[in-house]
Amino acid sequence: GENVEQHPSTLSVQEGDSAVIKCTYSDSASNYFPWYKQELGKRPQLIIDIRSNVGEKKDQRIAVTLNKTAKHFSLHITETQPEDSAVYFCAASLWGTSYDKVIFGPGTSLSVIP
Amino acid sequence: NAGVTQTPKFRVLKTGQSMTLLCAQDMNHEYMYWYRQDPGMGLRLIHYSVGEGTTAKGEVPDGYNVSRLKKQNFLLGLESAAPSQTSVYFCASRRRRQETQYFGPGTRLLVL
Protein backbone atom coordinates (compact mmCIF):
# COMPACT_ATOMS: atom_id res chain seq x y z
CA GLY A 1 0.00 0.00 0.00
CA GLU A 2 0.90 3.64 0.01
CA ASN A 3 3.65 4.68 2.37
CA VAL A 4 5.32 7.88 3.52
CA GLU A 5 8.69 7.73 5.23
CA GLN A 6 10.02 10.63 7.27
CA HIS A 7 13.50 11.37 8.60
CA PRO A 8 14.85 12.09 11.08
CA SER A 9 12.49 10.97 13.82
CA THR A 10 14.05 13.45 16.25
CA LEU A 11 16.02 16.60 15.56
CA SER A 12 17.71 19.06 17.93
CA VAL A 13 19.06 22.37 16.70
CA GLN A 14 20.40 25.51 18.30
CA GLU A 15 18.22 28.58 18.15
CA GLY A 16 18.94 30.46 14.95
CA ASP A 17 20.14 27.41 13.04
CA SER A 18 18.23 25.76 10.20
CA ALA A 19 16.26 22.53 10.39
CA VAL A 20 15.53 20.17 7.53
CA ILE A 21 13.05 17.30 7.56
CA LYS A 22 12.85 14.89 4.63
CA CYS A 23 10.03 12.68 3.40
CA THR A 24 9.66 10.11 0.66
CA TYR A 25 6.42 8.74 -0.72
CA SER A 26 5.62 5.56 -2.59
CA ASP A 27 2.59 6.47 -4.75
CA SER A 28 3.88 8.31 -7.82
CA ALA A 29 0.33 9.57 -8.49
CA SER A 30 0.32 11.67 -5.30
CA ASN A 31 -0.21 15.32 -6.15
CA TYR A 32 -0.61 17.20 -2.88
CA PHE A 33 1.89 17.36 -0.01
CA PRO A 34 0.96 19.18 3.20
CA TRP A 35 3.08 19.69 6.30
CA TYR A 36 1.51 19.84 9.74
CA LYS A 37 2.88 21.11 13.03
CA GLN A 38 1.61 19.60 16.26
CA GLU A 39 2.50 21.11 19.60
CA LEU A 40 2.31 18.93 22.68
CA GLY A 41 -1.30 18.08 23.52
CA LYS A 42 -2.65 20.14 20.63
CA ARG A 43 -4.22 19.40 17.27
CA PRO A 44 -2.17 19.20 14.04
CA GLN A 45 -2.18 22.48 12.13
CA LEU A 46 -1.23 23.03 8.51
CA ILE A 47 1.88 25.17 8.14
CA ILE A 48 2.64 24.86 4.44
CA ASP A 49 1.70 22.71 1.48
CA ILE A 50 2.80 22.14 -2.09
CA ARG A 51 1.16 20.76 -5.19
CA SER A 52 2.92 18.44 -7.61
CA ASN A 53 3.12 21.07 -10.34
CA VAL A 54 5.37 23.25 -8.16
CA GLY A 55 8.98 22.54 -7.21
CA GLU A 56 9.34 24.92 -4.28
CA LYS A 57 7.20 27.09 -2.05
CA LYS A 58 8.22 29.54 0.64
CA ASP A 59 6.40 31.27 3.46
CA GLN A 60 8.60 33.51 5.59
CA ARG A 61 11.00 31.18 7.47
CA ILE A 62 9.44 27.99 6.14
CA ALA A 63 9.99 26.45 2.72
CA VAL A 64 9.09 23.15 1.10
CA THR A 65 10.77 21.55 -1.89
CA LEU A 66 9.47 18.72 -4.04
CA ASN A 67 11.35 16.33 -6.31
CA LYS A 68 8.68 14.34 -8.16
CA THR A 69 11.17 12.17 -10.00
CA ALA A 70 12.76 10.96 -6.79
CA LYS A 71 9.45 11.11 -4.88
CA HIS A 72 11.08 13.25 -2.18
CA PHE A 73 9.89 16.38 -0.47
CA SER A 74 11.48 18.36 2.33
CA LEU A 75 10.62 21.00 4.91
CA HIS A 76 13.18 23.72 5.60
CA ILE A 77 12.93 26.00 8.63
CA THR A 78 15.43 28.82 8.82
CA GLU A 79 16.37 30.97 11.83
CA THR A 80 14.71 28.52 14.18
CA GLN A 81 13.08 29.80 17.35
CA PRO A 82 12.08 27.96 20.56
CA GLU A 83 8.41 28.19 19.52
CA ASP A 84 9.25 26.05 16.49
CA SER A 85 9.68 23.11 18.89
CA ALA A 86 6.94 20.61 18.01
CA VAL A 87 6.27 17.42 16.09
CA TYR A 88 6.13 17.91 12.34
CA PHE A 89 4.24 15.56 10.03
CA CYS A 90 4.54 15.33 6.28
CA ALA A 91 1.77 13.80 4.20
CA ALA A 92 1.01 12.78 0.63
CA SER A 93 -2.34 12.51 -1.05
CA LEU A 94 -4.06 12.06 -4.37
CA TRP A 95 -6.28 15.08 -4.24
CA GLY A 96 -9.13 15.80 -6.62
CA THR A 97 -10.26 12.24 -7.21
CA SER A 98 -12.70 9.93 -5.49
CA TYR A 99 -9.69 8.28 -3.86
CA ASP A 100 -9.58 10.67 -0.97
CA LYS A 101 -6.86 9.47 1.36
CA VAL A 102 -4.02 11.36 2.99
CA ILE A 103 -1.07 9.25 4.09
CA PHE A 104 0.95 10.75 6.93
CA GLY A 105 4.57 10.19 7.80
CA PRO A 106 5.43 9.06 11.35
CA GLY A 107 6.53 12.52 12.44
CA THR A 108 9.70 14.37 13.44
CA SER A 109 10.11 15.76 16.92
CA LEU A 110 11.99 19.05 16.60
CA SER A 111 13.62 20.64 19.62
CA VAL A 112 15.06 24.14 19.34
CA ILE A 113 17.56 24.79 22.10
CA PRO A 114 17.73 28.42 23.29
CA ASN B 1 -17.48 29.86 14.63
CA ALA B 2 -16.17 26.95 16.71
CA GLY B 3 -14.53 25.11 13.79
CA VAL B 4 -14.17 21.40 14.48
CA THR B 5 -15.13 20.15 17.93
CA GLN B 6 -14.92 16.69 19.48
CA THR B 7 -16.78 15.08 22.35
CA PRO B 8 -15.63 13.77 24.78
CA LYS B 9 -12.09 15.04 25.41
CA PHE B 10 -11.06 12.01 27.44
CA ARG B 11 -12.61 8.66 28.20
CA VAL B 12 -11.64 5.47 30.00
CA LEU B 13 -13.31 2.24 28.90
CA LYS B 14 -13.12 -1.34 30.02
CA THR B 15 -12.47 -4.04 27.45
CA GLY B 16 -15.71 -4.97 25.73
CA GLN B 17 -17.52 -1.72 26.43
CA SER B 18 -18.90 0.39 23.64
CA MET B 19 -18.85 4.11 23.03
CA THR B 20 -19.40 6.77 20.41
CA LEU B 21 -17.15 9.71 19.66
CA LEU B 22 -18.80 12.78 18.21
CA CYS B 23 -17.24 15.18 15.74
CA ALA B 24 -19.03 18.37 14.80
CA GLN B 25 -18.06 21.13 12.38
CA ASP B 26 -19.79 24.42 11.68
CA MET B 27 -17.90 25.31 8.49
CA ASN B 28 -20.31 23.54 6.12
CA HIS B 29 -17.52 21.19 5.01
CA GLU B 30 -18.46 18.29 2.80
CA TYR B 31 -15.60 15.95 3.73
CA MET B 32 -14.98 14.59 7.22
CA TYR B 33 -12.36 12.16 8.56
CA TRP B 34 -11.51 10.10 11.62
CA TYR B 35 -7.84 9.41 12.41
CA ARG B 36 -6.07 7.70 15.23
CA GLN B 37 -2.67 8.83 16.44
CA ASP B 38 -0.28 6.46 18.13
CA PRO B 39 3.30 7.20 19.24
CA GLY B 40 5.77 6.92 16.37
CA MET B 41 3.08 6.14 13.81
CA GLY B 42 1.71 9.48 12.78
CA LEU B 43 -1.95 9.79 11.90
CA ARG B 44 -3.75 6.82 10.38
CA LEU B 45 -7.09 7.15 8.65
CA ILE B 46 -9.89 5.04 10.12
CA HIS B 47 -12.93 6.08 8.08
CA TYR B 48 -13.97 9.09 6.09
CA SER B 49 -17.06 10.63 4.51
CA VAL B 50 -17.42 12.69 1.36
CA GLY B 51 -20.93 13.80 2.14
CA GLU B 52 -24.04 13.30 4.22
CA GLY B 53 -25.12 9.68 4.21
CA THR B 54 -21.84 8.35 2.76
CA THR B 55 -18.86 6.71 4.46
CA ALA B 56 -15.76 4.84 3.32
CA LYS B 57 -12.99 2.81 4.92
CA GLY B 58 -9.52 4.16 5.51
CA GLU B 59 -6.28 2.39 6.43
CA VAL B 60 -7.33 0.92 9.79
CA PRO B 61 -11.14 0.49 9.83
CA ASP B 62 -11.40 -2.80 11.74
CA GLY B 63 -13.21 -2.52 15.07
CA TYR B 64 -14.80 0.83 14.21
CA ASN B 65 -18.02 1.96 12.61
CA VAL B 66 -19.09 5.42 11.50
CA SER B 67 -22.19 7.32 10.53
CA ARG B 68 -22.81 10.68 8.84
CA LEU B 69 -26.53 11.30 9.24
CA LYS B 70 -26.10 15.08 9.24
CA LYS B 71 -23.61 17.07 7.22
CA GLN B 72 -22.15 18.72 10.29
CA ASN B 73 -21.67 15.56 12.38
CA PHE B 74 -19.48 12.49 11.97
CA LEU B 75 -19.78 9.76 14.59
CA LEU B 76 -17.15 7.11 15.35
CA GLY B 77 -18.34 4.01 17.19
CA LEU B 78 -16.47 1.30 19.02
CA GLU B 79 -18.80 -1.66 19.52
CA SER B 80 -16.50 -3.72 21.73
CA ALA B 81 -13.45 -1.79 22.86
CA ALA B 82 -10.05 -3.49 22.98
CA PRO B 83 -6.79 -2.31 24.61
CA SER B 84 -5.31 -1.96 21.10
CA GLN B 85 -7.77 0.87 20.54
CA THR B 86 -6.12 2.99 23.21
CA SER B 87 -5.12 6.05 21.24
CA VAL B 88 -5.77 9.70 20.55
CA TYR B 89 -8.53 10.16 18.01
CA PHE B 90 -8.68 13.19 15.76
CA CYS B 91 -11.49 14.29 13.57
CA ALA B 92 -10.89 16.55 10.57
CA SER B 93 -12.95 18.22 7.87
CA ARG B 94 -12.43 20.10 4.63
CA ARG B 95 -14.27 21.68 1.74
CA ARG B 96 -14.67 19.56 -1.37
CA ARG B 97 -12.66 21.94 -3.55
CA GLN B 98 -9.94 22.75 -1.05
CA GLU B 99 -7.13 20.50 0.10
CA THR B 100 -6.68 21.83 3.62
CA GLN B 101 -7.96 19.65 6.43
CA TYR B 102 -8.95 21.28 9.72
CA PHE B 103 -8.49 19.15 12.79
CA GLY B 104 -10.48 18.93 15.99
CA PRO B 105 -8.79 19.03 19.42
CA GLY B 106 -8.68 15.26 19.80
CA THR B 107 -10.19 12.64 22.10
CA ARG B 108 -7.89 10.65 24.33
CA LEU B 109 -9.21 7.11 24.82
CA LEU B 110 -7.84 4.60 27.27
CA VAL B 111 -9.10 1.02 27.12
CA LEU B 112 -8.23 -1.10 30.16
Side-chain angles (χ1 to χ4, degrees):
Chain A
E2 301 88 353
N3 184 49
V4 174
E5 297 183 355
Q6 185 172 347
H7 299 280
S9 56
T10 59
L11 180 59
S12 290
V13 299
Q14 290 290 137
E15 182 177 358
D17 287 349
S18 295
V20 180
I21 302 170
K22 299 181 179 182
C23 290
T24 61
Y25 59 98
S26 61
D27 186 355
S28 57
S30 297
N31 60 4
Y32 174 65
F33 307 91
W35 285 88
Y36 287 85
K37 175 183 179 182
Q38 186 178 28
E39 297 176 353
L40 189 62
K42 300 289 183 64
R43 72 190 77 188
Q45 291 195 307
L46 181 73
I47 56 171
I48 196 168
D49 56 10
I50 191 168
R51 295 193 178 112
S52 59
N53 59 349
V54 175
E56 183 174 358
K57 184 177 178 180
K58 189 173 183 179
D59 183 4
Q60 300 183 350
R61 297 185 296 109
I62 294 173
V64 58
T65 59
L66 172 65
N67 182 329
K68 285 174 55 180
T69 303
K71 294 189 284 187
H72 289 172
F73 58 114
S74 300
L75 178 71
H76 304 252
I77 306 174
T78 59
E79 302 172 17
T80 53
Q81 301 167 3
E83 50 265 38
D84 294 329
S85 296
V87 178
Y88 291 81
F89 293 97
C90 63
S93 73
L94 183 57
W95 186 79
T97 71
S98 59
Y99 185 76
D100 185 50
K101 296 181 182 180
V102 178
I103 306 298
F104 286 82
T108 295
S109 178
L110 173 64
S111 297
V112 180
I113 304 165
Chain B
N1 189 335
V4 182
T5 59
Q6 292 182 231
T7 309
K9 289 184 172 56
F10 176 69
R11 183 77 182 267
V12 179
L13 287 180
K14 294 181 180 179
T15 297
Q17 287 185 319
S18 63
M19 77 163 296
T20 300
L21 282 67
L22 170 64
C23 176
Q25 52 92 8
D26 61 1
M27 298 176 284
N28 203 33
H29 287 175
E30 293 85 2
Y31 287 35
M32 297 187 74
Y33 308 81
W34 274 108
Y35 293 92
R36 60 177 290 173
Q37 184 175 39
D38 303 294
M41 301 188 73
L43 291 149
R44 292 183 292 168
L45 184 64
I46 304 171
H47 286 281
Y48 64 101
S49 169
V50 300
E52 183 178 328
T54 70
T55 62
K57 294 181 179 180
E59 296 174 74
V60 289
D62 294 342
Y64 305 95
N65 57 75
V66 288
S67 64
R68 182 102 181 266
L69 299 179
K70 294 182 179 180
K71 186 177 184 179
Q72 62 269 34
N73 295 338
F74 195 28
L75 304 178
L76 178 70
L78 286 73
E79 290 186 348
S80 179
S84 60
Q85 294 178 304
T86 292
S87 188
V88 179
Y89 292 85
F90 284 99
C91 174
S93 71
R94 71 170 178 89
R95 288 193 187 284
R96 180 184 296 119
R97 297 189 183 279
Q98 291 183 354
E99 307 99 325
T100 305
Q101 292 190 21
Y102 296 87
F103 283 84
T107 294
R108 189 172 297 273
L109 176 65
L110 175 62
V111 183
L112 302 175

